[in-house]
Amino acid sequence: MPGGADSVKVAVRVRPFNQREKNAGSGCIISMKGDSTTIKNPENSSTKIFSFDYSYWSHDGCRENEDGVFIPNSESSNYTDQRRVFQDLGQGVLDNAWQGYNAALFAYGQTGSGKSYSMIGYGPNKGIVPITCEELFKAIETNKENQKQLQVSFSMLEIYNERVKDLLVKGKQSSEGLKIRQNPQAGFYVDGLKNVPVSSYKEIEKLMEQGTVNRTTASTNMNATSSRSHMVITIRFNQVIRNAGGESNTRSSDINLVDLAGSERADSTGATGDRLKEGSAINQSLSTLGNVISALADIAGGKKNVLVPYRNSVLTKLLQSALGGNSRTIMIAALSPADINYDETLSTLRYADRAKKIQNKAIVNESPTDRLIRELKEENARLMAALGKGGSKTDNSGELQRLLRENESKMSDINKTWEQRLEEARKEWERGHGGLEHEEEQAEWRTFPYFTNINEDTQLSGVVKLSLHVGETLFGRSTSATYSIRGLGIQEKHALITNSGSRVTLEPVNESKIYVNGVKLKSKEELHHLSRIKFGSSCLYLYVGQVNDRKPNDEKVYDYDFFMAELAEHRGVAIDLQTPRVNESMENLKSYVVFQDFMDLLPQISEANAISLELDKGMNFQAEIKTQASHDSQQQQGTKEVQIKATNEKTKKVWVWSREKFLHRKDLMEEMYCKYMDGEILPKSRDKDPFWDPVEDMFLGSCHVMLQSLTYCVETDEHFTLHNYHGKEEAVMKVRIFPLDEKGHYLGEESIVEPRELLGKPFSYEISIPECMGVRWCSEERSRGVYCKVLLDNQQPVKSQTVWGKSYCDFNLKYQVKEKKVRQEFIDYLQTHSLVVELWGSQVNEEDQIHHTFSGNGVNGNSDDVLSQMKNKEYEIERLNEDINLLKKENFNLKKKLDKQQTQLDMKKHRRAKGVSSAPPVASGDIGLDADLAQALRVFFKDMKAVQGQISELKDFVKMSRNGSSDNGNLKQSLGKQEVKLQDVENKMSGCVASLKDSVTNTLRKAKR
């Protein structure tokens, strides 16, 4: 009833599995019965039931007819096709429009859940929007009432990063986007939005095609995929009715059809634990929409004094009438059936459950046309008076003039006949699109090879077709290129395509980034039909070859997911593209979810790296899998998660970000990039810089030391290699674990016992970590430090001191563990668990960093700079001398160990020669010491090379300073002395290395004999 309260109608629809979910062997977690929808938790099989106005099952039970339309495969099938969805939802929208009510229909759900399929459709399977438009004009054509004139106009806009873009305007638009204004009667509206009069469904089809092309182009240029933007189509339907007296009455209705951004970012208003708490403008509209729906649901539940935050985003301003206002509204929530998407699907169901509580108050929009003209004239008179009274120099004169022009435009439109407005729209279309000749030109792809775009949204894939004529075709950012493409990582001249008539080749220009079938292109290469091309960081194209190579629908398999999987596979990420896995265990399911997160992040990381490069931030991002096995005392796999390693190539600082934090920062990076592209001056303060963070400690690697030997009172004294999450060696650490007597003294080898002999007695042991060698973290950057951490179950971690700037570290960590009375559980623990030793890296802030990076062809700047540099160099020399002394000590210790080992081996050979069988066995750990020492020595030589390289750099610096053109006075003489010192240090180190090398060689020769 007019003026009555109407609840928002809510429908949910579940789609079939996509190829990604089939590859994962996913199970279906959604079931429907009547209007209720049930979701099952794949971990514990618990269920939750929701009730909606409509529950549409479109998961299975269908077949494709001869026209390519999906329909139920039998009378008993509960499959819901596109026509049924329109009859339940779209027809209601039309009926409301004929009655003069505003109507709104919006689709919500995660990216890839089927929102666009329900709203727009695909191929012959038309969605709600085209069917609604088609049915509207069918009804208009049957209108036989001469006194009633039916008028339809069409507008199409996109919201991204809180900026409104008119999708019906060709060419570049203002970077600020269109402005949102408010009218006291009509509410919020978009100022300057093109509202095109149309007379047939075919004209609407052309406008939608134009809007989709513009949206696709913007998606590539501005790095805004459809999953991050909202599309709003508005159909304005006016019924002008004249009575016998010649007076006219206008009944109007605005039909808003909204395709929302992917819901997976709805709560992305900041990442937990991130210093940058505020959310990005990219996700502002979606998160605000959730807040608006929650507030309206609270009001419907009887809660008082609730503020509905309509004004907090562009989207909610425009949807104010649809949500709690003058409109009859329908929401369709799109669901994924796969168990790997359980969390997102449950979130969507809860969102829809809140939305159904919203109450709207729709009224018929009907008013006399003469009254509209009179009101506009009166408003104009008031505006003219205000301008005349205040003069043209008042602060609000510009706004008054704008309102005056707007009213005059509305009066002009009302005074024009509908036929005049249609003719003006037709002429404007021909001016902008060139008529029939332009359409023929656009169809050149039918006879030539061409590139067609691939987008995350299937509705935007295949929209752009770039024909490759015989000869050369240049792609790039330059306006002089054959096809000007913009995007992250695109060069002025990016790619050269040569079509000889029979073969097509692709060649990168100026070492630009191009991937063909997942492999980076380094030189000219021939393209084959259905080759997959990636330009820069995000421009994806499918190459469609000569006409005789093409087959019907042969390009359908190569969608966005295929591109991403192929790129991931060639980067070393394993995936089976074709064979689904069956009988999937929950552990494997979790692993696939982690893998999918990893693969989804690859394009985001690629874009973040490209933004960093263009903004000269020096940051490099890499995804890695964190496994709990590195920290678990039983070395069980445990949970896995994707994390992002962020490295500043300039300062050598490293951070690890969670997936959520990286996505939040990526949004802020995109905002910064958009400002950069718009010519804005970026703030220099790093407090708001998404690329910067305070330094933090880094997990480098770990090793596991089995505790089983303690149950026999046997000592462990070995060198262990520490590995990072990738299995790469980070350092070699010496670990000793030995049992103690009641007085805390080492028991010795003669005290070997059986585990059962320990029961009921006190027991203690000591963990000792004296040293760590070959620390890659410090050898890469001398300003870094390291410390080790010992992890025991039910014990607080034990941490060593931090050692700075040394690849050889003396930790001298000792820790005793005491058990008052040994029980069987304690023995079982020692026999099944291990000691986890972790190596962590420390960093200093840029302000405190000792080492500086020098660049240029000499010493530039004043003498204070040179003196500062000399002071740093002297400090470098002191540190190198300390390193030499430490290396000498290590050399001496290694010699002693080698001599001891050789003596033991000689004694063993002598006893064997005399047939002595009663000799005590040599510990297996001693025999294996050769390999350990050899490993340590290899690391030693590697470190020494790095140190020698640093000395060479210091010498080069001194030489540049001495040869500088500027007269530095006594500085050059001082630098000469430094050069002599450096030469002396280098000679000493070279002698040390040579001596150590000879000793090792002689020892190994003796061992072989």
Side-chain angles (χ1 to χ4, degrees), residues 340 464 770 909:
I340 60 176
V464 176
K909 290 177 182 178

Side-chain angles (χ1 to χ4, degrees), residues 1-3 96-97 99-103 252-254 326 328 362-365:
M1 289 180 59
N96 288 328
Q99 296 172 41
Y101 293 106
N102 291 335
S252 63
S253 171
D254 282 348
N326 176 25
R328 288 184 170 173
I363 60 172
V364 173
N365 303 302

Side-chain angles (χ1 to χ4, degrees), residues 338-381:
D339 46 16
I340 60 176
N341 294 322
Y342 170 77
D343 291 335
E344 279 298 334
T345 301
L346 178 60
S347 175
T348 300
L349 287 168
R350 286 173 171 163
Y351 196 96
D353 194 55
R354 289 198 303 271
K356 72 181 184 182
K357 300 174 184 177
I358 298 174
Q359 299 286 317
N360 287 351
K361 294 182 180 180
I363 60 172
V364 173
N365 303 302
E366 188 171 16
S367 60
T369 307
D370 294 338
R371 193 183 77 186
L372 288 175
I373 296 174
R374 185 176 66 252
E375 288 175 351
L376 285 171
K377 286 181 176 179
E378 291 173 354
E379 178 67 17
N380 276 2

Side-chain angles (χ1 to χ4, degrees), residues 36 80 168 340 501 566 628 663 746 950 1006:
S36 67
T80 302
L168 299 184
I340 60 176
E566 184 175 55
Q628 198 60 34
L663 291 173
Y746 172 50
Q950 289 179 334
K1006 291 178 183 178

Side-chain angles (χ1 to χ4, degrees), residues 618-621 645-649 652-655 784:
M619 292 293 293
N620 178 265
F621 301 94
K645 182 179 179 181
T647 306
N648 189 314
E649 304 288 358
K652 303 302 180 184
K653 303 303 175 202
V654 184
W655 298 267
R784 295 170 176 171

Side-chain angles (χ1 to χ4, degrees), residues 163-197:
R163 297 177 182 180
V164 179
K165 174 184 173 69
D166 191 339
L167 293 177
L168 299 184
V169 173
K170 198 173 181 181
K172 188 175 181 180
Q173 300 182 37
S174 169
S175 60
E176 294 296 322
L178 300 176
K179 300 294 184 183
I180 304 296
R181 310 285 186 188
Q182 187 175 17
N183 183 286
Q185 286 78 35
F188 291 104
Y189 67 98
V190 181
D191 185 25
L193 182 67
K194 196 169 185 179
N195 202 25
V196 182

